[in-house]
Amino acid sequence: MLLVAFFCTLAAFIMAVMGVIQRPSHAKLLIGVYIVFYLVALLTVFVTLPSKALFNLIIINAVSGLVYLPFLAFSSPQVTIEGPDETHRPHFHSNNRGLNLAALILGLLFVTSAFGAAQTRFGVKPVYNSLKIKTTKSAPLLDKDATPIAIAPKTVRNKMNKAMSTVPNTSYYRLGDLQTQVVKDKTVYIAPVEFDGFWRWQRARATPGYFIIDATNVNAEPHFVKQAMKYTPSAYLMDDAQRVIYNRFPSWVQEGQPQLEIKDNGDPYFIQTVYKARGVSSRINYRTLHVVVLNAKTGATNLYAAAKAPAFINESIASSTAAEMNDIFGWYGHGYFNAHFNKTGVKEPNSNGTEDGVTPVVDKHGNISYFNDFTSPKTSADSTMGYSMINARTGELTYYTGKNIGVMDSDGAKKIAEKEYVAQKWSATMPIMYNIDGTPTWVVSLLDSTGAFRSYAYIKAADQSVKAYATTATQALDQYRVQLATAGSTASSTTNSKITKVKGTVERVVVIPNGDNQNVLFALKGHDTLWTVGSADYPKAVLMKTGDQITLTGRINASAKTGTVEDYTNSTFK
């Protein structure tokens, strides 16, 4: 930090030396003024933690040099010369060599900083090219091994705040930021207990631990884990986690805030996404993202490439960085000026996510990705142009198109979900698009005014009339698959289906309108599958009754226990 402060005042130091050479009698004053400059810079560095990137140093030096310039002018010696008039009155003239040199140095600094700022602002194409982008039309299917996160962050915070009474000396602390993680193959939310102000930090010096809660169970309750943490984001002076990381790696630019991640054995760590700025600009290279891992107990730090971080690190790329990646990907594929004028190929990311506008999603392998959908920059647009998944360790951005283009966006999904419970004033949150049986589907959580979870909403992205509500993800998914079947979707649209031949007696039957045709839903005795047959292919199916003997060939979706008839014979009524 001392060295960074010196680099920040290098221009002022050079001017001070120049002034001493020009006017040795003013040496004490000039050096004293510089020392004041240095102390102010040291305090500024301590508070703001600017990286020792070249672009930052140039700007800070240009400013400090400009402020020091009047003191250099004061140090310029005055030379007496004879006046040209008859009285030969003496005239005083400054020796401007030092001032001219200082002005030249400052001019170069300002020109360089302006060039760097222009590169940062307008030179977005190299930043876009640094993204690792993969485009696909086929989105992965949702099955029961890929259960969506069940509990919304607002609900979790409410539960954890209520549980703060279990923390020793609870008045010293507050709840920190939530973090999604996979611990022992289980998706959880974790949140550190943080200091509630300077004086409480000075008295306690270590926080007592963190909260953890199952993220896939709406009825789960938070559990407090005792793990004393000395180095946290809410600590002060040299215990501040961000300051510790800065002192060890001052030339790296920090992205977002330090976030808590824990090992399977419960040991806490704070991690910080960092990168090296490009040249004289502050442009980021997304292919070279790194992460600093700080032991919250000992203060030991290690630097890793983001994709090569220890296995327990799920999100070596911060959610704020993922949100920036979506902005770059959506807006600047064809350059800065196209994004703000022609807007060819521009896609605007929505900001309905739970963390910096994106939402963490955990797949069945325990990998976390950040979800976000894109819409047209036209203010009247309400359809999606696709959605992205950014791997939280590798930074790879996968953009899904295909059936996801032209359907309802996340704003529309939230509005549809809330319409069902207008009187209750429930609010929709955490919209995520899943591929359910080959159908783009919005999964939305509904919360009441207190932030408590109330219901899931599964909404067909291409048809808002097809939707299902339930208090558990499994019930909502099963009901939604029935809705898909009655709306004319086919089980053959999913790879999770198989062809089977069945013979049996009709136990239950119902006829449901489907546009100009009708769908017949029926169940056979001794079978769990709910079958669907359309009147467009089999007109006599609407005459089916309980007790009829049926022989059919169809496709079964085993996870949803629904089936679609491909060949059908009613031996009771021919």
Side-chain angles (χ1 to χ4, degrees):
M1 208 169 276
L2 297 173
L3 187 61
V4 175
F6 174 74
F7 281 122
C8 289
T9 58
L10 185 59
F13 177 76
I14 293 173
M15 289 185 183
V17 173
M18 290 167 53
V20 170
I21 293 173
Q22 289 186 140
R23 203 79 175 259
S25 60
H26 288 184
K28 290 184 179 180
L29 174 63
L30 293 171
I31 296 300
V33 171
Y34 170 72
I35 291 174
V36 172
F37 265 66
Y38 176 79
L39 293 176
V40 171
L42 183 61
L43 179 62
T44 303
V45 169
F46 186 83
V47 173
T48 62
L49 302 179
S51 75
K52 201 176 66 175
L54 182 59
F55 180 64
N56 285 348
L57 294 179
I58 289 173
I59 291 179
I60 296 173
N61 272 285
V63 174
S64 65
L66 183 64
V67 175
Y68 196 91
L69 191 61
F71 297 97
L72 180 62
F74 171 75
S75 71
S76 296
Q78 304 293 319
V79 180
T80 303
I81 61 174
E82 294 294 328
D85 56 357
E86 295 179 356
T87 62
H88 300 286
R89 294 175 184 172
H91 293 263
F92 296 96
H93 179 69
S94 296
N95 183 351
N96 289 325
R97 290 180 182 176
L99 285 176
N100 290 340
L101 182 58
L104 178 62
I105 293 173
L106 285 178
L108 289 174
L109 288 175
F110 276 107
V111 169
T112 306
S113 60
F115 175 74
Q119 273 196 323
T120 302
R121 180 66 175 170
F122 304 114
V124 292
K125 190 62 177 177
V127 179
Y128 175 87
N129 290 336
S130 73
L131 290 170
K132 294 178 282 186
I133 302 171
K134 176 183 176 182
T135 301
T136 179
K137 293 183 178 180
S138 176
L141 294 169
L142 174 70
D143 56 33
K144 289 191 175 180
D145 293 326
T147 305
I149 291 175
I151 184 168
K154 185 177 180 180
T155 305
V156 173
R157 290 199 69 84
N158 285 349
K159 289 187 175 186
M160 288 185 176
N161 277 320
K162 291 177 181 177
M164 281 290 288
S165 59
T166 63
V167 177
N169 297 317
T170 185
S171 62
Y172 285 18
Y173 309 107
R174 60 176 175 80
L175 189 66
D177 294 333
L178 286 180
Q179 176 75 9
T180 307
Q181 199 184 345
V182 177
V183 179
K184 295 180 180 178
D185 299 323
K186 195 171 186 178
T187 304
V188 298
Y189 283 114
I190 55 176
V193 173
E194 297 278 16
F195 295 108
D196 192 16
F198 176 80
W199 298 111
R200 291 168 174 82
W201 163 77
Q202 190 181 50
R203 187 172 182 85
R205 290 293 176 153
T207 62
Y210 56 85
F211 281 100
I212 186 169
I213 187 173
D214 186 350
T216 61
N217 181 3
V218 295
N219 297 315
E221 292 297 330
H223 170 63
F224 177 67
V225 180
K226 291 183 178 180
Q227 287 279 357
M229 297 184 290
K230 180 180 179 182
Y231 302 95
T232 71
S234 62
Y236 289 83
L237 302 180
M238 306 316 295
D239 290 352
D240 179 355
Q242 194 169 17
R243 185 164 288 112
V244 172
I245 293 170
Y246 177 83
N247 285 336
R248 311 278 172 81
F249 308 97
S251 60
W252 292 79
V253 182
Q254 298 189 28
E255 277 278 288
Q257 299 295 317
Q259 57 192 31
L260 178 67
E261 295 222 14
I262 60 176
K263 278 188 172 180
D264 283 355
N265 65 2
D267 288 345
Y269 293 80
F270 282 97
I271 65 170
Q272 175 72 64
T273 305
V274 296
Y275 71 93
K276 280 288 185 74
R278 296 186 177 198
V280 295
S281 74
S282 61
R283 291 184 303 184
I284 188 172
N285 184 344
Y286 290 114
R287 291 182 182 270
T288 58
L289 291 175
H290 283 62
V291 61
V292 176
V293 180
L294 166 68
N295 188 310
K297 293 181 176 181
T298 67
T301 55
N302 289 286
L303 177 70
Y304 304 93
K308 296 181 180 180
F312 76 91
I313 303 295
N314 294 120
E315 297 182 8
S316 50
I317 295 173
S319 56
S320 59
T321 305
E324 292 170 4
M325 294 170 72
N326 281 321
D327 283 332
I328 294 294
F329 170 72
W331 283 95
Y332 298 112
H334 298 284
Y336 177 85
F337 293 101
N338 175 77
H340 296 278
F341 295 100
N342 296 331
K343 297 188 177 181
T344 301
V346 169
K347 303 175 287 292
E348 182 175 10
N350 280 316
S351 56
N352 291 314
T354 59
E355 297 180 10
D356 298 298
V358 298
T359 300
V361 178
V362 184
D363 66 17
K364 60 184 177 182
H365 304 295
N367 301 312
I368 294 181
S369 296
Y370 297 111
F371 168 87
N372 200 13
D373 67 310
F374 294 77
T375 189
S376 170
K378 294 181 180 179
T379 55
S380 59
D382 59 357
S383 60
T384 182
M385 299 176 69
Y387 68 89
S388 70
M389 288 283 197
I390 298 177
N391 188 293
R393 277 181 62 92
T394 68
E396 182 178 68
L397 188 156
T398 303
Y399 186 60
Y400 295 99
T401 56
K403 294 180 180 180
N404 305 296
I405 293 179
V407 299
M408 182 193 318
D409 67 3
S410 57
D411 283 331
K414 289 175 66 177
K415 292 176 182 176
I416 296 302
E418 290 172 350
K419 281 183 179 180
E420 194 76 11
Y421 299 97
V422 175
Q424 292 87 342
K425 296 183 180 180
W426 292 356
S427 60
T429 186
M430 208 163 61
I432 304 174
M433 183 177 284
Y434 287 99
N435 178 1
I436 298 179
D437 300 349
T439 303
T441 303
W442 284 106
V443 178
V444 185
S445 297
L446 288 162
L447 311 180
D448 64 18
S449 58
T450 66
F453 175 85
R454 289 300 180 183
S455 178
Y456 282 112
Y458 279 57
I459 306 168
K460 185 177 179 180
D463 183 359
Q464 65 184 45
S465 65
V466 180
K467 54 184 181 290
Y469 295 84
T471 55
T472 70
T474 302
Q475 290 175 347
L477 182 59
D478 289 345
Q479 292 180 25
Y480 176 71
R481 279 178 162 141
V482 172
Q483 292 290 324
L484 285 179
T486 60
S489 297
T490 63
S492 60
S493 63
T494 174
T495 57
N496 192 28
S497 62
K498 59 182 180 180
I499 297 177
T500 186
K501 187 172 182 179
V502 179
K503 183 176 181 180
T505 303
V506 176
E507 185 176 31
R508 294 283 191 275
V509 61
V510 63
V511 179
I512 299 177
N514 180 25
D516 295 332
N517 299 301
Q518 293 172 306
N519 284 335
V520 179
L521 273 68
F522 62 95
L524 302 178
K525 288 182 179 180
H527 296 270
D528 294 333
T529 304
L530 178 64
W531 291 97
T532 303
V533 59
S535 63
D537 297 322
Y538 299 95
K540 291 185 178 180
V542 296
L543 301 176
M544 185 187 302
K545 293 182 178 180
T546 300
D548 285 359
Q549 297 297 312
I550 302 295
T551 301
L552 64 86
T553 301
R555 288 183 177 269
I556 294 179
N557 188 313
S559 60
K561 297 182 180 180
T562 59
T564 300
V565 173
E566 293 188 353
D567 186 38
Y568 156 84
T569 301
N570 188 335
S571 58
T572 304
F573 179 80
K574 297 181 179 180

